Amino acid sequence: MNRTKASPSLRRGRPVNAEARAERRQQILDAAHRCFVRRGFHASSTAEISSEAGISVAGLYQYFPTKQDLVTALIQHELEADLALIQQLDRAADLLEGLQQVAMAVVRDSRTPQAAHLRLEILAEAARDAGTAKVFLAAERRINRALSRVIRKGQEQGSIDRDLDPMAVAEHINAFLDGAFSRLTLPITDPEAFVRGSIELIRRALSAKS
Amino acid sequence: MNRTKASPSLRRGRPVNAEARAERRQQILDAAHRCFVRRGFHASSTAEISSEAGISVAGLYQYFPTKQDLVTALIQHELEADLALIQQLDRAADLLEGLQQVAMAVVRDSRTPQAAHLRLEILAEAARDAGTAKVFLAAERRINRALSRVIRKGQEQGSIDRDLDPMAVAEHINAFLDGAFSRLTLPITDPEAFVRGSIELIRRALSAKS
Amino acid sequence: MNRTKASPSLRRGRPVNAEARAERRQQILDAAHRCFVRRGFHASSTAEISSEAGISVAGLYQYFPTKQDLVTALIQHELEADLALIQQLDRAADLLEGLQQVAMAVVRDSRTPQAAHLRLEILAEAARDAGTAKVFLAAERRINRALSRVIRKGQEQGSIDRDLDPMAVAEHINAFLDGAFSRLTLPITDPEAFVRGSIELIRRALSAKS
Amino acid sequence: MNRTKASPSLRRGRPVNAEARAERRQQILDAAHRCFVRRGFHASSTAEISSEAGISVAGLYQYFPTKQDLVTALIQHELEADLALIQQLDRAADLLEGLQQVAMAVVRDSRTPQAAHLRLEILAEAARDAGTAKVFLAAERRINRALSRVIRKGQEQGSIDRDLDPMAVAEHINAFLDGAFSRLTLPITDPEAFVRGSIELIRRALSAKS
DNA sequence: GATGAATGAGGCTTCATTCAT
DNA sequence: CATGAATGAAGCCTCATTCAT
């Protein structure tokens, strides 16, 4: 009866296959990523995802008790990747320079249209589902805080207008970038030029008046 | 030549009631709007939509031969409403003033969160489906042209920097506004302040340097 | 209330549009024929049939109160055509010669595969539905009687064995021909040779022993 | 090379129970058989079939991914049974004697009207659907080859005319028997006498001239 | 008489999920 | 732990049929 849960205290060290488990979990998340990017959250079936992950459907349910849980986990995973991206800006001397560099790297990445699509799916899911909205806003706050730190640095250097409220500006830039990003899902003529223009407008908006 | 259409007065049987048909069609689109806003395109079933429209499922299919057709029609309808919104700017003396006014009116409208959600669904659907992307881009071009006209007016008045390319700026503003708009689907503290901030940043980006 | 049926005695001669009605009816039967041949009875929808007939669906229901009625009418029509075919044999001097001629004419007709398909649909429908079976057997009896007359003529001429029972032979030939006919629906190599062989075997079966 | 299939004993999870699967599959085919005989292929719904098989509709789809696949499988199953029937003739010393015996056994079997009905459904489906036609013709060829072997044996014994082409005769007999068989779906007076007459005619057609 | 408009019932198929092995 | 097997509920769509015009 209590065999499966028997005396965890008797197990020394970390559970035997925690590593393999985490690996499998990631494998599923990757497969889900590919599926969601291809067809969206709702149009991707558990069968499709598990097949893409090279696992049985029932197996999937041992890692995510619900499809919604899988969706949520993937969203969280994705949002963390976004945070990592923003944190790259910290390394750049100048916010706008850094933004430019990161943005150009992103726009040149062939996987960006898919990433942009996924971002839209996430925004839409947050609009539909209050739970997702909460998760999204929590991640958003961390990102904005990171971004505002870089902005403040820019203000100290003088490249960004000191009158601007760093946190508010962070929120707006974030939103703006989402808008610009959403265009990268579409077959537009010159994505690179488009992104360059976006960055340039942001620069104009933030730069200290003479 | 006109044999098949000759003498419509001779047409036997019950005449087509174009008016009632158009009305019913709109009634369905309205119901679909409500459903799509509530749950998104894919999670809304034809049963749900037709029930909301006060019609049978089979009846729905006399107006839209496919669920995707209904989705597309609704998207087109929505995009046209967006165009109308942009055209309101023409009436304002100044682009930025006009933008401010329209934006404030929008943010105060209680239906805006839903409209914003629908906008996200449309963007996501465009990312998924090439046909929708085409429809979207076509509408986008019309909107951008209208917006660029207003921008040019601003440049002539001197309120907008003459070095900026009106069409490119229109594209970016449009994208930026989408990003800002997407935040209105979320339970943020002060939407009005947020939008005001967005407009202010756009003003800074566009305004002629002293 | 009794307007539609009002005083038929007051109408002189035949009802006003009996002719037009019969024409329309035939027009529908022809359309149904084309549809049934293409997809069978059950897979052909009233919408498809009426569209093929250039009429509204509701219009169809004024001529055939039920789809099954239409099917039955078409079966009857088809069976009568079969009877007419058999009666052509009467004109030939010799049964086997006549059979040969009719069969060759049939096998060379490009519409024969379709006719053969329809014949199979009719047989299958008769196997499913007792009502159709009755209709079918009634027509069969008339055909067999006609055929047996020709056979008797052949016996009198000496070309057919006098020991054979004309009616029984008619039944068997009829069934045999159905079997041979059913092969003409399939993409076989040389239909004409096949039919020739069939007739030849029948000839051997019937011919008087030396 | 055999990496993916390596060491089946290492396969994790519940092992496939091939036996139970085959049994269930047959159980479904039997149920489908009953339904198809009752109402034909197109009028039998998946709900009806699965209910008759004591399985859920979704369960049905684990064994046959499509209704058409089920139909095709059943057709194939049926055609193989026909082949087995023909192969019984091999055991008889004389073709015509054997034919007589098999035919009498068939006509006395109470399930024959149903089998005959199914045969008609198959022929009709082959006329409708090119894929089925191909399957049908392939089976037909095997049957004809088996039949022609028996015929050749008859020719060697002298009971069958040596001038006849065994393969051609096989084709015709097969077709003729289909025609005769089709009559067994109908409420005719004396099926046994009818079949006896059919065999007698075939005997006359094949027997060596004195 | 003929058509447009509407609909309940039902068709095939897929889904997320469970459970014994 | 992982899989095979099963399923109720639901999804989209089509059908034969009716009825007001």
Side-chain angles (χ1 to χ4, degrees):
Chain A
M1 199 106 276
N2 56 359
R3 243 207 309 199
T4 58
K5 286 195 162 198
S7 9
S9 58
L10 285 187
R11 294 192 179 262
R12 322 271 178 77
R14 60 161 155 65
V16 187
N17 275 340
E19 226 171 280
R21 229 189 129 68
E23 196 176 336
R24 262 271 212 238
R25 201 187 126 98
Q26 188 56 45
Q27 178 183 341
I28 294 173
L29 280 174
D30 290 347
H33 185 103
R34 290 193 293 276
C35 292
F36 290 160
V37 152
R38 217 182 295 140
R39 326 166 73 85
F41 292 141
H42 283 318
S44 300
S45 68
T46 53
E48 195 181 346
I49 296 167
S50 54
S51 154
E52 175 97 27
I55 210 181
S56 71
V57 181
L60 187 141
Y61 274 80
Q62 288 199 325
Y63 292 85
F64 301 95
T66 277
K67 190 190 170 188
Q68 183 61 45
D69 287 336
L70 172 55
V71 168
T72 304
L74 188 122
I75 289 179
Q76 226 139 12
H77 195 264
E78 199 67 12
L79 292 175
E80 246 141 75
D82 291 342
L83 178 57
L85 208 64
I86 290 296
Q87 286 171 337
Q88 287 187 15
L89 294 181
D90 255 331
R91 280 186 292 222
D94 180 63
L95 165 75
L96 291 163
E97 208 54 46
L99 214 52
Q100 174 93 18
Q101 280 165 23
V102 169
M104 280 348 253
V106 164
V107 81
R108 280 174 191 140
D109 188 328
S110 68
R111 293 162 310 178
T112 288
Q114 285 111 43
H117 178 192
L118 199 49
R119 178 80 186 173
L120 277 176
E121 292 280 341
I122 292 172
L123 283 167
E125 183 67 15
R128 281 179 219 124
D129 176 63
T132 305
K134 220 166 139 184
V135 167
F136 179 84
L137 281 175
E140 193 74 339
R141 234 163 294 144
R142 294 178 59 198
I143 289 184
N144 285 338
R145 238 170 295 153
L147 194 52
S148 71
R149 272 196 298 275
V150 189
I151 291 171
R152 204 169 297 118
K153 221 164 65 179
Q155 288 177 320
E156 286 158 9
Q157 294 179 201
S159 63
I160 293 183
D161 193 328
R162 293 203 161 94
D163 288 347
L164 295 168
D165 172 14
M167 194 62 182
V169 167
E171 283 169 11
H172 286 118
I173 288 188
N174 218 328
F176 281 177
L177 287 180
D178 265 349
F181 209 44
S182 73
R183 260 50 183 184
L184 300 185
T185 65
L186 302 171
I188 57 176
T189 327
D190 188 346
E192 209 166 313
F194 178 78
V195 168
R196 219 177 352 243
S198 293
I199 301 290
E200 173 56 25
L201 273 195
I202 291 180
R203 181 199 302 276
R204 289 180 58 105
L206 301 193
S207 65
K209 301 284 159 108
S210 64
Chain B
M1 193 115 271
N2 56 359
R3 249 228 295 241
T4 57
K5 286 197 161 198
S7 14
S9 59
L10 281 189
R11 234 182 161 51
R12 323 292 173 83
R14 180 174 171 177
V16 188
N17 188 341
E19 202 175 324
R21 252 195 108 72
E23 199 174 332
R24 211 109 161 97
R25 201 187 128 99
Q26 190 55 47
Q27 180 181 340
I28 293 173
L29 281 173
D30 290 347
H33 186 105
R34 290 192 293 275
C35 291
F36 290 160
V37 154
R38 215 183 295 139
R39 327 167 73 85
F41 292 141
H42 285 347
S44 300
S45 70
T46 53
E48 196 180 347
I49 295 167
S50 54
S51 152
E52 176 98 26
I55 209 179
S56 70
V57 179
L60 184 84
Y61 275 81
Q62 285 206 332
Y63 290 86
F64 299 95
T66 279
K67 191 193 169 186
Q68 182 63 45
D69 285 336
L70 173 55
V71 168
T72 303
L74 190 124
I75 289 179
Q76 225 139 12
H77 197 264
E78 202 65 13
L79 292 175
E80 245 140 76
D82 291 344
L83 179 58
L85 209 63
I86 290 296
Q87 286 171 336
Q88 285 187 17
L89 294 181
D90 254 332
R91 278 188 294 227
D94 180 65
L95 165 75
L96 292 161
E97 206 56 44
L99 215 52
Q100 174 92 19
Q101 279 166 22
V102 169
M104 285 341 263
V106 163
V107 81
R108 279 173 192 142
D109 188 329
S110 67
R111 293 162 309 178
T112 287
Q114 284 107 45
H117 178 194
L118 201 49
R119 178 81 186 173
L120 276 175
E121 293 281 340
I122 291 173
L123 284 167
E125 183 67 14
R128 280 181 221 122
D129 175 63
T132 304
K134 217 168 143 184
V135 167
F136 180 84
L137 281 174
E140 193 74 340
R141 236 164 291 144
R142 294 179 59 197
I143 289 184
N144 284 338
R145 237 171 294 153
L147 196 50
S148 72
R149 272 197 299 274
V150 189
I151 292 172
R152 205 169 298 119
K153 221 164 66 178
Q155 290 178 317
E156 285 159 10
Q157 293 178 203
S159 63
I160 294 183
D161 192 327
R162 293 203 161 92
D163 289 346
L164 295 168
D165 172 14
M167 195 63 184
V169 167
E171 283 168 11
H172 286 116
I173 289 189
N174 219 327
F176 281 178
L177 288 179
D178 265 350
F181 210 43
S182 73
R183 261 50 184 184
L184 300 185
T185 65
L186 302 171
I188 57 175
T189 328
D190 188 346
E192 210 165 314
F194 178 78
V195 169
R196 226 183 339 254
S198 293
I199 300 291
E200 175 55 24
L201 274 195
I202 290 181
R203 181 199 301 275
R204 289 180 58 106
L206 301 193
S207 65
K209 301 284 160 106
S210 64
Chain C
M1 199 108 272
N2 56 359
R3 246 209 302 199
T4 58
K5 286 196 163 198
S7 8
S9 58
L10 284 188
R11 293 193 180 262
R12 324 269 178 79
R14 59 164 155 64
V16 187
N17 275 340
E19 227 171 278
R21 231 189 127 70
E23 198 176 334
R24 263 279 212 232
R25 201 187 127 100
Q26 189 55 46
Q27 178 183 341
I28 294 174
L29 280 173
D30 290 347
H33 186 104
R34 290 192 293 276
C35 292
F36 290 159
V37 152
R38 218 183 294 141
R39 326 167 73 84
F41 292 140
H42 283 320
S44 300
S45 68
T46 54
E48 195 181 347
I49 296 167
S50 53
S51 153
E52 176 97 26
I55 210 180
S56 71
V57 181
L60 187 140
Y61 275 80
Q62 288 199 325
Y63 291 87
F64 301 96
T66 278
K67 190 192 170 187
Q68 182 62 44
D69 287 336
L70 172 56
V71 168
T72 304
L74 188 122
I75 289 178
Q76 226 139 13
H77 195 265
E78 198 67 12
L79 292 175
E80 246 141 75
D82 291 343
L83 178 57
L85 208 65
I86 291 296
Q87 286 171 337
Q88 286 186 17
L89 294 181
D90 254 332
R91 279 189 294 229
D94 180 65
L95 165 76
L96 291 163
E97 207 56 45
L99 214 52
Q100 173 93 16
Q101 278 166 23
V102 169
M104 283 344 260
V106 164
V107 82
R108 280 173 191 142
D109 188 328
S110 67
R111 292 163 309 179
T112 287
Q114 285 111 42
H117 177 193
L118 199 49
R119 178 81 186 173
L120 277 176
E121 292 280 340
I122 291 173
L123 284 167
E125 182 68 15
R128 281 179 220 124
D129 176 64
T132 304
K134 219 167 139 185
V135 168
F136 179 84
L137 281 174
E140 193 76 339
R141 237 163 291 142
R142 294 177 59 196
I143 288 184
N144 284 339
R145 237 171 294 153
L147 195 52
S148 72
R149 272 197 300 273
V150 189
I151 292 171
R152 204 169 299 119
K153 221 164 65 178
Q155 291 177 317
E156 287 159 9
Q157 294 178 201
S159 62
I160 294 183
D161 193 326
R162 291 203 163 94
D163 289 346
L164 295 169
D165 172 15
M167 193 62 185
V169 168
E171 282 169 12
H172 286 117
I173 289 189
N174 218 327
F176 281 178
L177 287 179
D178 265 349
F181 209 45
S182 73
R183 261 50 184 182
L184 300 184
T185 65
L186 303 171
I188 56 175
T189 326
D190 188 346
E192 210 165 314
F194 178 78
V195 169
R196 223 179 347 246
S198 293
I199 301 291
E200 175 57 24
L201 273 196
I202 291 181
R203 181 200 301 274
R204 290 178 59 104
L206 303 193
S207 65
K209 302 284 160 108
S210 61
Chain D
M1 192 114 270
N2 56 0
R3 246 223 301 230
T4 57
K5 285 194 161 201
S7 13
S9 58
L10 281 189
R11 234 184 159 48
R12 324 288 175 84
R14 179 174 171 179
V16 188
N17 186 342
E19 202 175 325
R21 252 196 107 73
E23 199 175 331
R24 211 108 159 92
R25 200 188 127 100
Q26 190 55 46
Q27 179 180 341
I28 293 173
L29 280 173
D30 290 348
H33 186 105
R34 290 192 293 276
C35 292
F36 290 160
V37 153
R38 214 183 296 138
R39 327 167 73 84
F41 292 141
H42 286 347
S44 300
S45 70
T46 53
E48 196 180 347
I49 296 167
S50 54
S51 152
E52 176 98 26
I55 209 180
S56 70
V57 180
L60 184 83
Y61 275 80
Q62 286 205 332
Y63 291 86
F64 299 95
T66 278
K67 190 193 170 186
Q68 182 63 44
D69 285 337
L70 172 55
V71 168
T72 302
L74 189 124
I75 289 179
Q76 225 139 12
H77 196 264
E78 202 65 14
L79 292 175
E80 245 140 75
D82 290 344
L83 179 57
L85 208 64
I86 291 295
Q87 286 171 335
Q88 286 187 16
L89 294 181
D90 253 332
R91 279 184 294 219
D94 179 65
L95 164 77
L96 291 162
E97 207 56 44
L99 214 53
Q100 174 92 18
Q101 278 165 23
V102 169
M104 282 346 259
V106 163
V107 81
R108 280 173 192 140
D109 189 327
S110 67
R111 294 162 309 178
T112 288
Q114 284 108 45
H117 177 193
L118 200 49
R119 179 80 186 173
L120 276 176
E121 292 281 340
I122 291 173
L123 283 167
E125 184 66 14
R128 281 181 220 122
D129 176 64
T132 305
K134 216 167 143 184
V135 168
F136 179 84
L137 282 174
E140 192 75 340
R141 236 163 292 143
R142 295 178 59 196
I143 290 184
N144 284 338
R145 237 170 295 153
L147 195 51
S148 72
R149 272 195 299 274
V150 189
I151 292 171
R152 204 168 298 118
K153 219 164 67 177
Q155 290 178 317
E156 287 158 8
Q157 296 177 201
S159 63
I160 293 182
D161 192 328
R162 292 202 161 94
D163 289 345
L164 295 168
D165 173 15
M167 194 64 185
V169 168
E171 283 168 11
H172 286 116
I173 289 189
N174 219 326
F176 282 178
L177 287 179
D178 265 349
F181 210 43
S182 74
R183 260 49 185 186
L184 300 184
T185 65
L186 302 171
I188 57 175
T189 328
D190 188 346
E192 209 165 315
F194 178 78
V195 168
R196 221 179 348 247
S198 294
I199 301 291
E200 175 56 25
L201 273 196
I202 291 180
R203 180 199 301 274
R204 290 179 58 106
L206 302 193
S207 65
K209 301 287 161 103
S210 63

